[in-house]
Amino acid sequence: MLELGIGMFGDLQIDPKTGVIQSTQQRLQEIIEEIKLMDEVGLDFFGMGEHHRPDYAVASPEIILAAASTVTKNIKLGSAVSVLSSTDPVKLYQDFATVDLLSNGRAELMAGRGSFIESFPLFGYDLKDYSELFEEKLDLLLKINTQNPINWTGKFRKSLINQEVLPRATNNHLPIWVAVGGTTSSVIRAGKLGLPVMFAIIGGNWEQFKPLFELYEQAYTDNGNDMSKFQVGVHMHAFFGDDSQTVANQYYPVYSAQMDRIGATRGWPPYQRSQFDFGRSSHGHLIVGDSNEAIDKILRVKETFNLTRFSAHMDVGSPSHKNMMKAIEIYGNKIAPKVREASKV
């Protein structure tokens, strides 16, 4: 069965005329209400990203997830992503194990390098060690998840010698995913380790990612991993409304403004309506429209990539809380049932 859920980064609303940024406190309270609704409408999972920028509200996903665990009953709660390269795997495991215990075994951890680099100088890491940090910390995180006490030696932190890491997750195991973009080496590594992978498709033609999915599955099977435990997902920008053109017209100014804010730091040209319209087409990376369009596109993506999980990234640019709640209702009540029904065939 295909799992359907939502990923968010906690974008703050920014007034286009004045530049005034929404209060972080208000946005955090809205996020908890939104997660509660996701659970009520029967979505399978929620993921929260980690950022250290003025236009995002959430620096510690695990704190949001701990709060959400007290107002939800069934939905899985994870990060999307935790920037593993610039954090301590011991503390990260402890925090998510705590969320897992609070939520009665619903916590997940998604590790990634992150698409922003603010956390490296903030926590005292050198960008020249970008790849080595991730590899070493992933190795330590995976060992903590399966060994207690642990003995471990690496390059970037002191050795652990017969050290207990507590508390332990429910059933002494925490589900750990890896998030990847388009880096071949990252895809192969995840496949070799037998880890579930979430592919971020946030631009261009989504069908062009098929060779990477095939490469992951080949690496997974070639290394003797159990196909009964095979999990692969995709993360795509999405937003839903009752009328396709109306929701597109409402969402474009919000989405394009955030693309331009990010693009200003990366040398991108101004975001154009033509890019947005292509993104909404059958070949584009956006799933923005009414429920029927979303159902058709999600099913196409699912069949093309042999997905077990689909994550709709729904708060790019921070649409209003009212519109977010409406989109969540449409996703849970109209889109998810039809996608699940079709996925059984």
Side-chain angles (χ1 to χ4, degrees):
M1 179 67 70
L2 179 67
E3 289 187 305
L4 298 165
I6 291 175
M8 289 164 53
F9 284 178
D11 296 38
L12 291 165
Q13 294 171 21
I14 301 176
D15 190 294
K17 295 180 180 179
T18 65
V20 173
I21 301 176
Q22 177 188 24
S23 79
T24 299
Q25 182 179 27
Q26 179 187 2
R27 184 67 195 121
L28 293 177
Q29 292 171 349
E30 292 174 349
I31 289 170
I32 296 302
E33 290 182 17
E34 290 162 8
I35 302 170
K36 185 174 184 290
L37 179 59
M38 294 174 206
D39 187 53
E40 291 170 351
V41 298
L43 293 176
D44 297 306
F45 69 91
F46 169 75
M48 173 53 74
E50 172 193 346
H51 293 87
H52 305 272
R53 293 166 50 95
D55 46 347
Y56 294 106
V58 180
S60 300
E62 50 270 45
I63 294 179
I64 297 297
L65 303 177
S69 72
T70 67
V71 297
T72 57
K73 296 179 180 179
N74 300 306
I75 193 169
K76 295 178 181 179
L77 301 168
S79 51
V81 301
S82 296
V83 185
L84 182 59
S85 306
S86 57
T87 194
D88 178 16
V90 174
K91 187 64 166 65
L92 192 65
Y93 176 88
Q94 290 176 317
D95 289 346
F96 275 85
T98 301
V99 175
D100 200 48
L101 296 169
L102 284 170
S103 64
N104 293 317
R106 291 186 282 128
E108 301 178 333
L109 196 163
M110 186 178 295
R113 304 184 194 204
S115 59
F116 296 94
I117 60 173
E118 288 81 7
S119 63
F120 283 80
L122 183 64
F123 297 116
Y125 291 98
D126 196 321
L127 276 173
K128 70 178 178 61
D129 300 320
Y130 185 81
S131 296
E132 279 188 285
L133 280 166
F134 183 79
E135 291 178 9
E136 177 174 300
K137 292 188 176 199
L138 181 61
D139 175 69
L140 175 54
L141 179 64
L142 295 177
K143 284 185 169 62
I144 292 170
N145 199 32
T146 59
Q147 302 173 20
N148 195 50
I150 183 172
N151 290 281
W152 179 91
T153 299
K155 175 181 177 181
F156 296 102
R157 78 175 328 272
K158 290 186 177 181
S159 299
L160 295 169
I161 301 173
N162 202 34
Q163 181 69 57
E164 284 193 291
V165 179
L166 302 168
R168 304 302 295 176
T170 305
N171 300 320
N172 204 34
H173 176 77
L174 184 69
I176 296 176
W177 287 65
V178 173
V180 300
T183 307
T184 301
S185 59
S186 297
V187 173
I188 294 173
R189 176 175 58 237
K192 287 182 176 179
L193 293 171
L195 294 173
V197 164
M198 180 67 73
F199 286 84
I201 301 181
I202 54 176
N205 184 333
W206 62 268
E207 294 159 310
Q208 293 178 345
F209 276 71
K210 187 170 177 57
L212 285 176
F213 281 82
E214 293 173 341
L215 185 63
Y216 167 68
E217 186 167 351
Q218 180 179 346
Y220 188 96
T221 55
D222 285 352
N223 285 272
N225 295 303
D226 185 353
M227 281 302 294
S228 69
K229 298 179 180 179
F230 181 82
Q231 297 181 83
V232 62
V234 66
H235 165 104
M236 298 174 72
H237 292 169
F239 207 73
F240 313 121
D242 290 322
D243 177 77
S244 178
Q245 198 58 52
T246 299
V247 71
N249 291 339
Q250 290 176 343
Y251 190 50
Y252 171 71
V254 174
Y255 187 83
S256 63
Q258 183 67 344
M259 291 297 101
D260 284 341
R261 279 189 288 271
I262 296 171
T265 66
R266 301 185 181 184
W268 298 348
Y271 191 78
Q272 303 294 324
R273 180 64 191 243
S274 58
Q275 293 173 263
F276 183 76
D277 290 339
F278 171 77
R280 294 183 63 237
S281 72
S282 61
H283 300 290
H285 69 287
L286 298 174
I287 304 184
V288 176
D290 61 32
S291 58
N292 289 329
E293 288 175 317
I295 292 164
D296 290 344
K297 199 164 186 178
I298 291 171
L299 287 172
R300 284 187 59 216
V301 174
K302 184 254 184 189
E303 293 301 323
T304 301
F305 297 142
N306 192 26
L307 293 183
T308 64
R309 177 174 286 198
F310 174 82
S311 176
H313 183 174
M314 288 177 52
D315 68 337
V316 178
S318 193
S320 72
H321 178 52
K322 178 181 177 181
N323 288 343
M324 280 290 295
M325 296 289 274
K326 178 66 174 179
I328 292 165
E329 286 182 350
I330 291 172
Y331 190 16
N333 293 331
K334 295 184 178 181
I335 297 170
K338 293 290 183 67
V339 171
R340 289 171 180 144
E341 182 180 353
S343 296
K344 293 179 182 178
V345 178

